[in-house]
């Protein structure tokens, strides 16, 4: 039993943190917020140069072949630095699905370019069971995909999309025939969304016979990785609130000396640590392919979603009026927490997945 | 990172399991408890006999060093043992204070003579220990202890009153916090002692709790005479000694919350009917089960991470501070969810409702105590805010004032 990361892994995490401190500053993130870029190319380039994008991609395919535990720590730092780049679709989803289920040719074609940050792949691998706009669902016939999908992260920046259609995992060239895409306004503009519309677009299937199973595993993995982003973001929001509470004075003393403030921050700390504990357990289950992954991933996702939303909301609140201004970064956390917590299905859906897993295990 | 057993841990687990199978009865279900209905004296005798058997097999103090009479194992091995024993019907709680907090404090601060006389008999179940810290006016504000220890030659004369002392009515020994210097500010003039509970001048009165049990007591001390060799740690350093005890307590509380409350709720919710369907099919119940698991297993994972740190020779991280706060509340929320399942019928006491409701009802009624004992929620939050997050301490008017000048 060893319930923690190794010293080498921690050193690597520190290195990622140092690089992001310079290359994912709020100036970088706000360029995307203001619509000047679809994602932050500088951050993306630096993460690629560091080997962070390809950290779980085999060396034979241009990665550093370290593993998913290391990728979890990259994710924590990305969350802390509010990285505005396509980690979720390109790395957590597409690269993982291709690594697991792609043919040798597909792996050779895509993995080196994903590791280098040269290619961005949009990916929707979860079931998207909450429907508002009720587009015609995706369908596959004669190797061609039709239908539409809403709220696709980085859909405008991507050159291809990886989709789960009729139980198959397929790659679609977004620059090809029969594809239309429309930019959508996102509640978190640092993580843009698009609507993809297909009308008989050519779809290239991955090798996996059972695409739904691979997709479910990859989505569980992404839930763990997002949990690390959420824990990193939540810790940053908490520390921002702490720093403000130490410096801001009212009624003749630092507001951080009032129990109403202290206890609120202590609650957030406890909530984040519970989320972190589940994220670590999820990391282990993901990296070892443990049978516990569905339970571990769902618990990590629910705990991390509630923790980051709470931390972002209360951190903004503790900043007072200034926290409600565009100028401060509080709203970046509020937006990102909401975005991360819903992009892979809501907290409620994942809580139900967790309950199902627990009830099944107790049978 | 590895949540599985190492080969050594797996071998130890197999060895422990074989021994338990030969020496105890496996639980038939989650709510099966060790000889429910025994009188306290009978239960105590059974607990001591069981502790003696564990000691003979080397399992009494797995993580304690060999020179202290322990097995010299790792904290992880202790976890393995506890996990395995939890699957069997064995007495619990009696040695919680002895082995969880009192003896580790003796091991840390005791003289060679104290360690030689006290550790082994406690490991073997001959001595049960209690912890005499709280007083009527020293609960959350523990530095306010007023029990007086006055030096007379080579002796200390102790007079005062302790309260909430678990197990004092059957303990042979206790660790006692008393004031030895009234000219020092609050926490500076305290000293820790080892108290032989059989000495003249000690009166123990059980307190009836809201659960109708009486696990803790008032302890009245009138001119109890102790030799200086009963002092534990340096004179006027009792506060430091006490803090090391409370550090241990955080670990053992975490262990206590590692039961499987959410699994019990699952069992009950399968049987209870709501609107003609099993309650377990209802979204509200399912989300409650999920949340109970997140809190409870989250606490367990944090404790395990702390133990990993100790195994590597490091100190557990600041996350340990969250254990008591989250664990105690999870206990209350989960207990309430279990009782709620039954609606109006859930109000029928287990004697008339069925034995499977015994533990949920006990949890529900005892949960408020968990949020108070060993540091209230509010004290835990102050600790996290000040020690972990570096926020300012509370305004204190009594910190630098000699204790004798303070108002009661």
């Amino acid at each position: 039993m060893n319930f923690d990361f190794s010293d080498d892994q921690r050193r690597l995490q520190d290195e990622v943190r140092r690089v992001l401190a310079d290359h994912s500053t709020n100036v970088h993130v706000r360029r995307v917020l203001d619509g000047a870029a679809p994602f932050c190319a500088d951050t993306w380039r630096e993460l690629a140069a560091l080997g962070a994008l390809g950290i779980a991609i085999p060396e034979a395919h241009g990665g550093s072949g370290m593993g998913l535990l290391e990728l979890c720590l990259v994710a924590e730092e990305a969350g802390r630095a509010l990285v505005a780049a396509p980690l979720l679709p390109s790395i957590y989803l597409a690269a993982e699905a291709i690594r697991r289920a792609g043919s040798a040719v597909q792996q050779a074609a895509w993995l080196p370019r994903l590791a280098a940050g040269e290619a961005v792949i949009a990916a929707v691998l979860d079931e998207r069971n909450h429907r508002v706009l009720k587009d015609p669902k995706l369908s596959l016939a004669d190797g061609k995909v039709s239908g539409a999908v809403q709220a696709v992260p980085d859909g405008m920046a991507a050159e291809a999309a990886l989709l789960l259609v009729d139980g198959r995992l397929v790659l679609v060239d977004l620059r090809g025939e029969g594809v239309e895409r429309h930019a959508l306004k996102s509640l978190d503009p640092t993580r843009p969304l698009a609507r993809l519309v297909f009308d008989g677009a050519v779809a290239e299937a991955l090798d996996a016979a059972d695409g739904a199973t691979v997709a479910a595993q990859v989505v569980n993995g992404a839930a763990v990785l997002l949990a690390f982003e959420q824990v990193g973001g939540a810790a940053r929001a908490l520390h921002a609130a702490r720093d403000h509470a130490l410096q801001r004075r009212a009624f003749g003393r630092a507001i951080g000396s009032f129990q109403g403030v202290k206890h609120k921050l202590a609650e957030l700390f406890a909530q984040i640590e519970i989320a972190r504990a589940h994220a670590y357990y999820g990391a282990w289950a993901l990296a070892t392919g443990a049978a516990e992954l569905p339970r571990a991933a769902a618990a990590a996702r629910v705990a991390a979603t509630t923790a980051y939303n709470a931390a972002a909301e209360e951190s903004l609140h503790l900043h007072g009026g200034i926290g409600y201004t565009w100028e401060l970064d509080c709203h970046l956390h509020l937006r990102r927490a909401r975005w991360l917590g819903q992009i892979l299905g809501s907290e409620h859906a994942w809580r139900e997945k967790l309950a199902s897993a627990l009830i099944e295990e107790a049978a | 990172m590895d949540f599985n057993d190492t080969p050594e841990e797996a071998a130890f687990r197999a060895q422990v399991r074989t021994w338990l199978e030969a020496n105890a009865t496996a639980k038939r279900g989650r709510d099966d408890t060790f000889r429910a209905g025994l009188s306290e004296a009978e239960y105590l005798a059974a607990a001591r006999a069981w502790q003696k058997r564990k000691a003979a097999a080397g399992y009494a103090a797995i993580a304690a060093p060999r020179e202290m009479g322990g097995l010299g194992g790792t904290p992880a091995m202790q976890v393995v043992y506890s996990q395995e024993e939890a699957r069997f019907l064995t007495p619990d709680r009696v040695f919680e204070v002895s082995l969880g907090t009192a003896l580790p404090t003796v091991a840390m601060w005791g003289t060679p003579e104290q360690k030689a006389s006290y550790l082994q008999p406690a490991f073997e179940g001959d001595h049960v220990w209690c912890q005499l810290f709280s007083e009527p006016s020293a609960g959350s504000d523990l530095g306010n202890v007023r029990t007086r220890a006055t030096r007379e030659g080579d002796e200390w004369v102790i007079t005062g009153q302790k309260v909430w002392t678990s197990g004092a009515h059957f303990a042979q020994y206790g660790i006692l916090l008393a004031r030895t210097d009234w000219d020092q500010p609050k926490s500076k003039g305290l000293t820790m002692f080892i108290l032989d509970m059989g000495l003249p001048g000690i009166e123990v009165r059980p307190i009836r709790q809201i659960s109708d049990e009486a696990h803790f007591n008032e302890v009245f001390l009138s001119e109890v005479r102790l030799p200086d060799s009963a002092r534990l740690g340096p004179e006027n350093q009792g506060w430091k000694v006490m803090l090391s005890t409370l550090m241990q307590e955080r670990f053992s509380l975490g262990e206590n919350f590692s039961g499987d409350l959410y699994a019990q709720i699952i069992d009950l919710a399968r049987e209870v009917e709501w609107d003609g369907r099993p309650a377990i099919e209802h979204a509200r119940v399912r989300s409650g089960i999920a949340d109970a698991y997140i809190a409870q297993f989250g606490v367990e994972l944090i404790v395990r991470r702390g133990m990993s740190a100790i195994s590597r020779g490091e100190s557990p991280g600041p996350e340990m501070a969250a254990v008591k706060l989250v664990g105690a509340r999870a206990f209350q929320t989960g207990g309430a969810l279990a009782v709620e399942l039954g609606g109006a019928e859930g109000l029928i006491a287990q004697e008339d409702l069925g034995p499977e409701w015994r533990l949920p009802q006990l949890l529900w009624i005892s949960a408020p105590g968990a949020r108070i004992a060993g540091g209230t929620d509010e004290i835990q939050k102050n600790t996290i805010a000040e020690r972990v997050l570096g926020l300012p301490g509370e305004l204190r008017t009594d910190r630098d004032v000699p204790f004798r000048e303070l108002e009661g």
Side-chain angles (χ1 to χ4, degrees):
Chain A
M1 273 179 236
N2 174 20
F3 295 66
D4 216 333
F5 289 93
S6 70
D7 291 344
D8 281 348
Q9 288 163 338
R10 292 295 185 194
R11 272 193 288 277
L12 180 132
Q13 179 178 18
D14 289 345
E15 182 61 20
V16 176
R17 188 186 298 205
R18 264 195 300 276
V19 168
L20 290 178
D22 292 335
H23 295 278
S24 185
T25 64
N26 72 343
V27 175
H28 292 84
V29 176
R30 279 169 180 271
R31 276 205 287 269
V32 184
L33 178 73
D34 296 336
F39 64 87
C40 182
D42 182 21
T43 311
W44 198 236
R45 206 167 36 241
E46 291 297 327
L47 283 173
L50 195 60
L53 300 185
I55 208 158
I57 292 174
E59 284 177 281
H61 291 302
S64 58
M66 294 179 92
L68 290 161
L69 286 177
E70 287 78 7
L71 185 58
C72 285
L73 295 176
V74 170
E76 183 178 348
E77 293 314 313
R80 194 187 317 277
L82 285 163
V83 160
L87 279 167
L88 169 67
S90 251
I91 304 300
Y92 306 164
L93 293 171
E96 271 301 290
I98 293 169
R99 186 177 69 79
R100 287 164 188 247
S103 65
V105 173
Q106 287 162 337
Q107 292 183 350
W110 288 107
L111 294 179
R113 295 185 63 226
L114 290 170
E118 291 164 14
V120 171
I121 299 183
V124 177
L125 303 187
D126 61 311
E127 288 148 10
R128 287 294 176 92
N129 281 335
H130 301 50
R131 287 163 61 81
V132 184
L133 295 168
K134 304 192 183 96
D135 269 339
K137 284 193 175 181
L138 297 178
S139 62
L140 196 60
D142 304 328
K144 291 185 172 165
V145 64
S146 294
V149 54
Q150 293 278 357
V152 180
D154 302 292
M156 300 308 286
E159 62 181 83
L162 178 67
L163 304 163
L164 179 67
V165 190
D166 295 340
R168 301 298 305 272
L169 282 170
V170 297
L171 276 163
V172 183
D173 184 346
L174 292 176
R175 297 158 308 186
E177 299 261 314
V179 180
E180 265 183 47
R181 39 182 162 172
H182 309 277
L184 301 170
K185 267 193 86 146
S186 169
L187 289 185
D188 178 5
T190 68
R191 302 283 45 250
L193 301 172
R195 175 173 182 241
L196 304 184
V197 185
F198 305 99
D199 183 11
V202 175
E204 178 195 332
L206 296 196
D207 256 4
D210 187 359
T213 304
V214 174
Q217 286 166 349
V218 171
V219 167
N220 279 333
V224 172
L225 290 156
L226 289 191
F228 275 88
E229 282 201 25
Q230 291 166 310
V231 165
R236 170 104 174 265
L238 169 65
H239 285 120
R242 189 270 315 267
D243 291 347
H244 180 76
L246 282 171
Q247 164 258 315
R248 172 79 179 166
R249 296 177 69 82
F251 305 103
R253 48 200 260 220
I255 62 167
S257 68
F258 294 107
Q259 278 198 350
V261 172
K262 287 167 74 174
H263 286 190
K264 191 193 286 279
L265 294 175
E267 287 282 2
L268 289 177
F269 171 81
Q271 214 177 344
I272 294 167
E273 289 308 316
I274 292 292
R276 182 189 299 281
H278 283 288
Y280 283 20
Y281 187 63
W284 165 79
L286 173 62
T288 58
E292 290 90 339
L293 180 62
R295 158 162 64 92
R301 174 131 184 92
V302 174
T305 296
T306 49
Y308 194 15
N309 277 324
E313 288 164 7
E314 297 307 323
S315 180
L316 188 154
H317 180 79
L318 272 163
H319 280 79
I322 192 81
Y324 188 64
T325 61
W326 190 262
E327 186 188 343
L328 248 74
D329 287 347
C330 294
H331 69 120
L332 300 185
H333 286 292
L334 190 74
R335 293 171 188 284
R336 185 63 67 84
R338 184 54 53 199
W339 195 93
L340 290 174
Q342 288 182 211
I343 194 62
L344 218 52
S346 78
E347 174 187 335
H348 308 292
W350 283 91
R351 197 177 265 113
E352 172 52 35
K353 284 193 198 193
L354 173 56
S356 295
L358 291 169
I359 291 164
E360 202 175 303
E361 274 183 45
Chain B
M1 183 179 302
D2 190 356
F3 285 75
N4 285 328
D5 289 347
T6 61
E8 296 76 36
E9 285 158 4
F12 183 66
R13 190 182 293 280
Q15 174 200 323
V16 165
R17 194 172 290 180
T18 307
W19 184 80
L20 283 165
E21 276 161 1
N23 288 276
T25 311
K27 284 183 184 168
R28 281 155 304 189
R30 249 183 283 281
D31 50 6
D32 205 2
T33 41
F34 179 77
R35 295 163 78 180
L38 285 190
S39 74
E40 189 179 73
E42 290 165 331
Y43 192 90
L44 193 59
R48 289 183 138 159
W50 174 242
Q51 185 64 26
K52 194 159 279 286
R53 271 163 102 172
K54 276 168 76 169
Y59 301 139
I62 291 164
R66 280 186 181 276
E67 61 273 21
M68 291 188 190
L71 191 64
T74 63
M77 284 164 69
Q78 180 66 58
V79 172
V80 166
Y81 181 86
S82 306
Q83 285 173 341
E84 291 302 315
E85 192 182 311
R87 299 167 50 240
F88 289 83
L89 289 169
T90 57
D92 58 8
R93 305 232 290 205
V94 169
F95 292 97
E96 229 163 62
V97 174
S98 304
L99 303 175
T101 61
L103 272 297
T105 311
V106 172
M108 194 178 304
W109 293 92
T111 61
E113 294 74 25
Q114 285 170 335
K115 287 191 251 192
S117 11
Y118 295 121
L119 296 181
Q120 202 56 38
F123 292 159
E124 296 196 1
D126 293 332
H127 295 165
V128 182
W129 286 62
C130 62
Q131 188 174 295
L132 301 125
F133 290 0
S134 295
E135 297 184 6
S137 62
S140 291
D141 186 9
L142 195 53
N144 211 39
V145 157
R146 307 185 79 82
T147 289
R148 176 187 297 268
T150 313
R151 192 148 197 168
E152 284 185 11
D154 195 37
E155 280 192 329
W156 293 92
V157 182
I158 300 186
T159 295
Q161 181 192 348
K162 294 287 171 179
V163 74
W164 319 128
T165 314
S166 299
H169 55 305
F170 53 67
Q172 283 70 48
Y173 289 93
I175 49 177
L176 170 98
L177 191 62
R179 186 163 305 279
T180 38
D181 188 343
W182 295 64
D183 294 316
Q184 300 272 359
K186 286 174 81 166
S187 60
K188 306 254 196 270
L190 300 170
T191 302
M192 193 72 82
F193 295 93
I194 294 172
L195 181 69
D196 177 343
M197 296 296 287
L199 289 174
I202 302 177
E203 188 196 344
V204 178
R205 291 187 204 157
I207 298 172
R208 189 175 176 187
Q209 303 158 209
I210 66 167
S211 57
D212 204 17
E213 300 163 307
H215 293 305
F216 49 54
N217 305 272
E218 293 178 289
V219 179
F220 296 89
L221 305 151
S222 46
E223 298 190 9
V224 180
R225 304 186 84 85
L226 292 182
D228 187 51
S229 61
R231 182 167 41 77
L232 182 59
E235 198 175 331
N236 294 337
Q237 295 289 311
W239 188 253
K240 227 168 139 181
V241 179
M242 187 276 301
L243 287 177
S244 67
T245 310
L246 293 191
M247 284 298 288
Q248 302 290 335
E249 195 164 11
R250 285 214 306 232
F251 271 109
S252 40
L253 280 168
E255 277 290 283
N256 286 349
F257 290 121
S258 70
D260 50 2
L261 177 54
Y262 68 90
Q264 278 184 46
I265 301 171
I266 292 174
D267 287 351
L268 293 168
R270 281 208 167 99
E271 299 303 321
V272 172
E273 205 175 279
W274 281 18
D275 306 326
R277 292 187 286 142
I280 197 134
E281 294 177 9
H282 286 259
R284 169 69 186 86
V285 173
R286 298 170 79 84
S287 88
I289 289 166
D291 287 335
Y293 167 84
I294 285 173
Q296 199 186 324
F297 192 57
V299 163
E300 190 173 331
L301 289 170
I302 290 179
V303 171
R304 298 291 151 77
R305 183 141 63 99
M307 291 186 172
S308 299
I310 293 178
S311 296
R312 292 193 305 266
E314 297 163 14
S315 301
E319 67 277 0
M320 282 304 295
V323 164
K324 165 72 170 51
L325 178 65
V326 177
R329 253 185 338 214
F331 196 17
Q332 186 153 44
T333 318
L337 177 63
V339 170
E340 255 166 17
L341 285 173
E345 290 184 25
L347 298 173
I348 301 170
Q350 55 98 6
E351 290 84 346
D352 290 319
L353 192 59
E356 68 276 22
W357 294 88
R358 197 184 72 83
L359 278 175
Q361 294 188 351
L362 182 62
L363 282 177
W364 164 73
I365 197 74
S366 50
R371 293 186 47 203
I372 300 167
T376 63
D377 288 2
E378 289 69 26
I379 290 290
Q380 301 296 330
K381 286 191 233 178
N382 272 358
T383 305
I384 293 171
E386 293 168 23
R387 305 257 170 81
V388 181
L389 299 175
L391 291 163
E394 293 301 303
L395 295 176
R396 288 186 179 128
T397 53
D398 55 4
R399 177 173 273 162
D400 301 318
V401 183
F403 192 79
R404 66 169 73 254
E405 290 171 23
L406 294 176
E407 293 290 323

